[in-house]
Amino acid sequence: MAVSDPPPPAGLLADGAYESLRPGTALLRLATTHDREGVLDGAWWPRSRDPATELPGLIAALSERLGPVTRVGLDRDAWDELPTRITVEGRLVHVDASVVRDDTALVTRGDRDHFSLLVIPPDTPLPAARAAMADAVRAGNLRQAGQILVVTARDQTRPTGPRGQR
């Protein structure tokens, strides 16, 4: 989002593109879905599995676009030592851990407003990560996070035909 762009109306997601949250930390892409009818609201590509390194950048970027984040839910098995809370820019954010392995982060703004982000594994090759991020924010997407990761990884590893065509 350019500096001169007005903020989105309250409750709506801002336009987003591949934006570096902090050098070496993560990429975030949010959907422009004013009706929020898709399964996912965006995608996040953390650069490591260390929540102390990755969460502050994610929370700061989301708070800037969505308003104050109060909770983040992550898969306990996918991260190194998840804290129960983290302070970002002077605000306490609760971190919920589950064992669902559903490749999503659930972000709560306020008491009940939830946003679902596809979490792309840090070791994902760039082309597959970009494809997964684009699929996650595609209008009307009905695929779950795990399905998107499987399909984009498979599409990136298909053998190419003559002249590089698939």
Side-chain angles (χ1 to χ4, degrees), residues 1 10 13 20 28 33 36 64 86 91 107 110 138 144 149:
M1 184 185 296
L13 292 175
S20 178
L28 173 69
T33 54
R36 295 180 65 192
E64 179 182 315
I86 189 169
R91 294 187 59 91
V107 178
R138 186 174 40 81
Q144 297 292 327
L149 292 175

Side-chain angles (χ1 to χ4, degrees), residues 51-90:
T53 299
E54 303 299 336
L55 285 177
L58 173 68
I59 292 167
L62 289 172
S63 295
E64 179 182 315
R65 288 159 179 81
L66 304 176
V69 170
T70 56
R71 275 186 153 16
V72 176
L74 297 170
D75 178 6
R76 173 181 32 204
D77 293 339
W79 294 89
D80 301 334
E81 301 179 36
L82 272 179
T84 57
R85 62 184 80 73
I86 189 169
T87 302
V88 178
E89 297 178 349

Side-chain angles (χ1 to χ4, degrees), residues 27-29 39-46 58 102-106 115-121 128-137 141 143-150 152:
L27 290 176
L28 173 69
R29 185 166 182 180
V39 172
L40 298 163
D41 298 302
W44 174 42
W45 189 19
L58 173 68
D102 62 358
D103 304 307
T104 60
L106 298 176
F115 296 88
S116 297
L117 302 177
L118 164 66
V119 179
I120 300 169
R130 283 186 175 165
M133 292 178 104
D135 202 12
V137 300
N141 171 52
R143 287 189 195 158
Q144 297 292 327
Q147 293 171 304
I148 290 172
L149 292 175
V150 167
T152 55

Side-chain angles (χ1 to χ4, degrees), residues 87-99:
T87 302
V88 178
E89 297 178 349
R91 294 187 59 91
L92 181 66
V93 177
H94 295 273
V95 179
D96 298 325
S98 67
V99 289

Side-chain angles (χ1 to χ4, degrees), residues 15-29:
D15 290 336
Y18 299 103
E19 297 183 38
S20 178
L21 300 179
R22 294 192 181 174
T25 13
L27 290 176
L28 173 69
R29 185 166 182 180

Side-chain angles (χ1 to χ4, degrees), residues 131 143 150-159 166:
R143 287 189 195 158
V150 167
V151 168
T152 55
R154 181 191 65 215
D155 289 349
Q156 296 301 314
T157 59
R158 278 190 188 155
R166 293 182 189 240

